Amino acid sequence: MRVDVAFTPEESANGPVGIVVDVLRATSTIVQALASGYRRVLCCAEVDEAIALRDEIGDAVLAGERLAASIPGFDLGNSPRDFLEPLGETLILTTTNGTRAVIAAAARCDVVLIASLLNLEAVAAAARARGKDVAVVCAGVEGERAIDDAYCAGRIAELLDGERTGAAEEALSISRSFSSAKEALEASGNPRQRDLGEDIAWCARESVYAVVPTFAGMRGATAEVVVLT
């Protein structure tokens, strides 16, 4: 197994199995929502696409953020702590970076898994079980690298224990430079992420869920993510 890492979706990373990481906060929110009982998450790149999709579906929860702030008129923001109790079966989510990364990975990988620290061991086990090359795709922040995503990518690369590319070795080195996940998440270079307070502590918890959200297909421009049974 070969393990590669893209520190932003724009960077090249190849592998039939893609693992998308946006620890603060989209992939943590997706993991939390599906672990709590939502049946599916529909990932949209744009706010207007999410609104139109909710109008089409009708019975769906509309959630997301732009620049870490909740979107006016939406039911929920992007804090994973808002998704402990499902408000419906379908969650429509649009975020600044994470949902776009899911859609980008879906366009170039045969299989796409959604990872966070919350499901770290489960997603690594699922990727290992497939026995194919893996590309970890970090969402980053507005086209720039994010320490929190790089840290999680390094942890995944270490758990996969495959042949690592230079980028994967760099991610592993980053992860080993921190004494804890919380320290890594607090080291984000983005002031908006540093100010997330309780969400940082929540997202820094490791392997508390066994769910592995998986890309199930495109609905127009929207990526559907579910837990396969």
Side-chain angles (χ1 to χ4, degrees):
M1 176 193 296
R2 180 176 177 271
V3 183
D4 198 4
V5 170
F7 291 100
T8 70
E10 289 74 26
E11 293 183 15
S12 176
N14 299 311
V17 177
I19 301 178
V20 179
V21 174
D22 185 4
V23 179
L24 294 174
R25 297 168 287 173
T27 58
S28 296
T29 291
I30 292 170
V31 169
Q32 181 65 68
L34 291 172
S36 296
Y38 283 91
R39 186 172 63 84
R40 62 177 178 169
V41 179
L42 302 178
C43 298
C44 298
E46 305 297 338
V47 171
D48 58 352
E49 293 173 354
I51 294 172
L53 187 58
R54 203 268 294 272
D55 290 342
E56 175 188 339
I57 294 175
D59 185 18
V61 179
L62 189 59
E65 55 76 27
R66 281 300 179 270
L67 303 179
S70 298
I71 301 170
F74 276 36
D75 301 313
L76 297 170
N78 187 37
S79 169
R81 295 177 294 114
D82 290 340
F83 298 88
L84 300 181
E85 296 291 339
L87 302 179
E89 289 193 346
T90 298
L91 172 64
I92 299 173
L93 183 68
T94 180
T95 70
T96 308
N97 305 292
T99 53
R100 290 187 171 105
V102 173
I103 293 167
R108 65 188 194 220
C109 299
D110 297 334
V111 174
V112 177
L113 311 177
I114 308 301
S116 68
L117 293 170
L118 298 175
N119 69 334
L120 182 64
E121 291 184 2
V123 79
R128 281 197 307 270
R130 294 185 178 271
K132 297 181 179 179
D133 292 350
V134 173
V136 183
V137 180
C138 301
V141 178
E142 299 174 60
E144 301 294 329
R145 295 185 177 195
I147 290 294
D148 49 291
D149 291 346
Y151 173 85
C152 187
R155 296 294 304 281
I156 293 169
E158 185 171 31
L159 288 172
L160 291 177
D161 194 30
E163 176 190 349
R164 291 188 285 267
T165 65
E169 289 287 0
E170 182 181 354
L172 179 58
S173 178
I174 291 170
S175 70
R176 288 176 173 172
S177 70
F178 293 98
S179 61
S180 70
K182 188 171 184 288
E183 180 187 355
L185 270 56
E186 290 174 337
S188 167
N190 186 317
R192 289 188 294 271
Q193 289 182 321
R194 288 199 301 268
D195 293 340
L196 291 177
E198 293 182 35
D199 280 351
I200 288 179
W202 190 273
C203 296
R205 299 176 304 143
E206 295 187 16
S207 301
V208 295
Y209 298 119
V211 299
V212 181
T214 304
F215 169 67
M218 297 298 295
R219 181 189 176 108
T222 300
E224 181 176 3
V225 174
V226 302
V227 175
L228 298 179
T229 57

